[in-house]
Amino acid sequence: MKNICVFCGSGAGTLPAYSLAARRLGALIVQRGMGLVYGGADIGLMREVAEGALKENGNVTGVIPAGLVDKEIQHRALTELLVVENMHQRKAKMADLSEAFIALPGGLGTLEEFFEVLSWAQLGLHKKPCALLNVEGYYDGLIAFLNHAVEHRFVSPAHRQLVLVEKTPEAMLDAIAAYRPPAVDLWIKRGET
Ligand code: AMP
């Protein structure tokens, strides 16, 4: 595996544990011989994950839309900063460059990015792992909602299994290394969820 894409908050959240996990994840990605792909900003958890990887002399690629270069403050010390035209290009580029996706705690942008790659996996457009790093239970409510969606048959159990969940960066990278895409046919069939 060459690169891992990390989606995370442009804010730092309330708990120091969020920043610590972001730094640790960035460092571990490099220690395990991979590069980091992320949104290219110098704020919030985005900054922390990049710093973690850069401190280990890792390869860090940021992908930022031109319109956000000032708002999110582009990181100036990355291995490579790709400035793209818009959000769609950002997500497509981040996905092209990466073999796995991890969401750290974050807000609407993080959720949107995560669910987009997850829905692409559901459609069989890629077979890359999609993972939630559930730091301090941040994603407990979201996981409960996904189970609720399965119970109500809007999400199939097979598609629910596409979401990896771990509590620590170490366990997360172990789970990603061991990941085998489900052998089942993941294409949605009408009325079969
Ligand atoms: P947030 O989780 O809301 O703090 O946002 C985290 C990152 O997601 C920031 O870099 C946002 O610019 C980015 N983001 C927000 N909405 C989108 C979107 N529709 N497509 C791509 N990135 C987005």
Side-chain angles (χ1 to χ4, degrees), residues 8-11 46 68 72 87 90-91 106-110 112-113:
C8 60
S10 53
M46 298 173 77
L68 282 184
E72 295 196 343
M87 292 295 196
R90 178 194 234 181
K91 288 181 290 188
L108 298 178
T110 303
E112 197 268 350
E113 290 167 327

